[in-house]
Amino acid sequence: MHEFRLYVIDDTPSSKKAITSLESLLEDEFKGLYSLEVVDVLENPQLANNEGIFATPTLVRVVPPPRARIIGDMSNREKVLAGLAL
Amino acid sequence: MNSESKIIKVLLIEDNPNDVYVIGQMLDEGRSTRFALEHANQPQSELERLAQGGIDVVLLGISQPTILGLDYLVRLHARAPELPIVVLAGPDDGAVAVQALHRGARDYLVKEQLDSDSLVRSIRCAMERQQTLAEFEQDTHKLQDLLYSIDNIIQKSPDGIVIVDRAGVVLFANLAAEALLDRKTEELIGQMFGVPVVAGEEAELDIVRKNGETAIVEMREVEIAWKGEPVYLASLRDITEQKKREEQLKRSFSDLAETVSRASGARDPYMSGHQQRVAKLARLVGEKIGLDKDRLQGLYVGSLLHDTGTICTPESILSKSNGLSEEERSIIRAHATQGYEILKDAKLPWPVADMALHHHERLDGSGYPHGIKGDNLSLEDRILAVCDVVEAMSSPRHHRSARSKEEILKEIKSGRGMKYDSVVVDVMEQIIESGESEI
């Protein structure tokens, strides 16, 4: 089971695009055996601060360890998977 | 002039007259090289002589009981660091001679073992070594200048530059990156930024500053080598103001489209307000389907202008209350193409012209003007098509009164998945049933 946390800001175009891209990519890749938690940095500043988020969209692979993190456009499947070392 | 034929000017600093004589003889015997020897036994005056220039190499006697020693060598080398110095030592001065090499001498020779060939060879080698060293130092300075320039360019670049390792940990950040990310360099170095991923040429990022303000940043990434390791360089550009201007421009487009839409509807009282009502309905459907802000705005503007081509339709045909002839129908149908022709050069940021062209097309190819099918019709086209039908049926026309809700629902449900997009029909049915819109 893979656990991911996506940090976004509000409903900005880049945030919406990241959510849509990731939902599709993760479903294709893990066939339901994953969880994707979307965290709005404006609503949960402490959570974002604890994670040390610089900018959004930032995706963190929480499980399995070690944590891996990518930042940017999540619509390129190969780059996303490579960046997360998957 | 090559080095073989050049006269090498030698300054001999030696207070033993015999040694001066012997060395002079040896240099004269040099077969492949010609020398011009200058000599003095007053160290201070020799330092002044060096300052005048014109000397190629210095021979410095340091054997006991000479008054000249390592301190003098150091002063000599400091005065003329570009000059090669060959030390002439006594048989018991081996340790001193080695120290001399550490203090700037290029070679040392033991006087008692000296012959013409070894002296000439030593002088030539010392000169070549000095030249190589000078070139190396020159190259080093150039490299340092270049590195300084590159560092200066990177630090003063208006774009933020962040270099991260393969795990996304920050190795370097310039001043602009500090400003953009609202953190000092020491707060960035060693921290996890993330591996930058870009799908096309650039990615858009959002940043929340410490004061709560948000900024929009355009990020580009490239893989480079950093201290021999492959890393990522992310360049960041603040496009917040640019985005605000774009939004302002889009709002202006919307305002202009509203005006044009009202003007084109004014010709026909029955059509007046049709485009505006379709636009509101389409925006509502788009919101429920989940279109983002930009697409919603494009859908709204495209819907406001979808019947622009009717300004080319004769008023007599538009307002005709009796049945239309086939020719008149064909003239009315031409409004889709005419609208496209009017709008296609407007360079609007949305597919507004295509929407005008396609709003009478149907999924099963039964529409006009081109009978386009299914996947070739965008979601905007599909939403507009249903909204146009629903609004038209709900309003009175010259030749008929407004249709009831039941009639409208019957029409779109009977065409669901064939003429009309299923998702759009389902959303529209929900809107009509709930009374959310003034249908």
Side-chain angles (χ1 to χ4, degrees), chain B residues 204-380:
Chain B
E204 213 169 277
L205 303 180
D206 300 299
I207 293 174
V208 182
R209 297 228 164 86
K210 286 174 184 164
N211 63 7
E213 283 180 5
T214 56
I216 305 170
V217 168
E218 185 181 273
M219 177 177 76
R220 291 168 182 260
E221 65 93 6
V222 63
E223 286 189 47
I224 61 165
W226 174 268
K227 296 178 182 173
E229 297 293 324
V231 297
Y232 300 103
L233 183 152
S235 66
L236 309 170
R237 179 170 294 178
D238 191 339
I239 56 167
T240 312
E241 289 306 314
Q242 179 191 328
K243 284 285 171 186
K244 279 182 187 168
R245 285 195 296 275
E246 283 175 13
E247 280 306 309
Q248 181 58 47
L249 196 61
K250 284 176 179 175
R251 278 198 293 276
S252 301
F253 281 145
S254 290
D255 294 346
L256 187 63
E258 297 255 16
T259 307
V260 171
S261 180
R262 276 196 297 275
S264 64
R267 294 179 67 215
D268 178 359
Y270 282 95
M271 289 292 286
S272 175
H274 165 70
Q275 292 183 112
Q276 290 94 314
R277 288 191 295 274
V278 170
K280 284 180 185 167
L281 193 54
R283 187 167 57 191
L284 184 59
V285 173
E287 280 170 359
K288 289 185 180 295
I289 288 177
L291 292 188
D292 66 39
K293 224 181 274 181
D294 187 57
R295 283 186 79 178
L296 279 176
Q297 203 171 2
L299 176 63
Y300 183 72
V301 171
S303 302
L304 276 174
L305 299 173
H306 74 275
D307 274 339
T308 296
T310 57
I311 61 171
C312 302
T313 311
E315 211 162 328
S316 57
I317 298 178
L318 274 181
S319 59
K320 199 166 181 182
S321 52
N322 301 322
L324 294 167
S325 69
E326 197 48 46
E327 190 184 354
E328 287 166 334
R329 277 184 204 284
S330 148
I331 290 170
I332 284 187
R333 287 181 168 195
H335 81 278
T337 311
Q338 286 158 338
Y340 174 80
E341 289 299 325
I342 292 167
L343 295 167
K344 71 178 169 49
D345 297 324
K347 293 188 171 48
L348 294 167
W350 309 286
V352 170
D354 285 340
M355 289 170 69
L357 182 65
H358 297 152
H359 73 278
H360 283 291
E361 298 287 5
R362 299 292 178 255
L363 288 185
D364 57 6
S366 62
Y368 66 86
H370 300 305
I372 294 174
K373 285 185 181 178
D375 290 345
N376 294 317
L377 296 170
S378 68
L379 183 54
E380 283 84 346

Side-chain angles (χ1 to χ4, degrees), chain B residues 18 21 23 37 42 98 111 125 139 159 184 186 198 331 337 340 347 385 398 409 418 426 436 438:
Chain B
N18 284 336
Y21 175 77
I23 287 165
L37 182 66
Q42 297 297 321
V98 171
K111 284 180 189 170
C125 284
D139 289 346
D159 288 346
K184 296 281 180 200
E186 51 269 26
V198 172
I331 290 170
T337 311
Y340 174 80
K347 293 188 171 48
H398 295 281
L409 283 172
M418 290 175 285
D426 292 346
E436 215 172 325
E438 299 164 0

